[in-house]
Amino acid sequence: MKKIFLLIAVMILSATILCSCSDKNLCGTYTFSDGVNSSKVTLNEDGTFVFVFSPISSYLGIGTFTVSNDRLTLETSDGQYHYVFRITDSGIEFDADASSDMLWFGEFADGSVFE
């Protein structure tokens, strides 16, 4: 009985580790607001994201994200766009030079911090 319990515990722990955010500290919603217009990036524990560029945009960025060193990269599921952020103590900072040009009416620019 102990072996079965131990086996089940190991399987649950393994599933939790495999399905978790690559860096649990990053999971959550980050917002950049410039007056009326705001943009939001939500990083989910399963490695997916949702990027709301602007309240007036009809495009919703969804896909998967990766973390390497201090860089967060969002790759849209349609394979057309990618967005890169530097991970800072205060949030994630947009890197326009490393990202796709299409911002879908978002008012953020290079160096904008999503908190």
Side-chain angles (χ1 to χ4, degrees):
M1 188 65 154
K2 286 183 181 179
K3 288 181 182 180
I4 293 173
F5 177 75
L6 183 60
L7 179 62
I8 292 171
V10 168
M11 289 173 48
I12 291 171
L13 181 62
S14 297
T16 303
I17 291 170
L18 291 174
C19 295
S20 65
C21 186
S22 59
D23 185 351
K24 287 186 187 256
N25 294 332
L26 285 178
C27 292
T29 299
Y30 298 85
T31 303
F32 173 79
S33 183
D34 185 26
V36 176
N37 199 353
S38 65
S39 303
K40 292 183 181 185
V41 174
T42 300
L43 304 176
N44 300 308
E45 288 188 7
D46 65 356
T48 62
F49 74 88
V50 176
F51 195 165
V52 178
F53 294 86
S54 167
I56 62 172
S57 173
S58 63
Y59 183 81
L60 182 63
I62 57 171
T64 57
F65 70 89
T66 56
V67 176
S68 178
N69 298 322
D70 68 341
R71 316 254 319 151
L72 166 68
T73 304
L74 312 178
E75 296 283 342
T76 59
S77 59
D78 59 13
Q80 294 185 26
Y81 307 102
H82 64 277
Y83 299 93
V84 179
F85 295 83
R86 287 180 285 282
I87 301 167
T88 67
D89 291 336
S90 57
I92 55 174
E93 182 180 317
F94 183 62
D95 183 349
D97 292 335
S99 299
S100 296
D101 291 332
M102 193 60 172
L103 300 181
W104 306 101
F105 303 107
E107 296 292 328
F108 55 93
D110 189 50
S112 294
V113 177
F114 288 63
E115 302 179 273

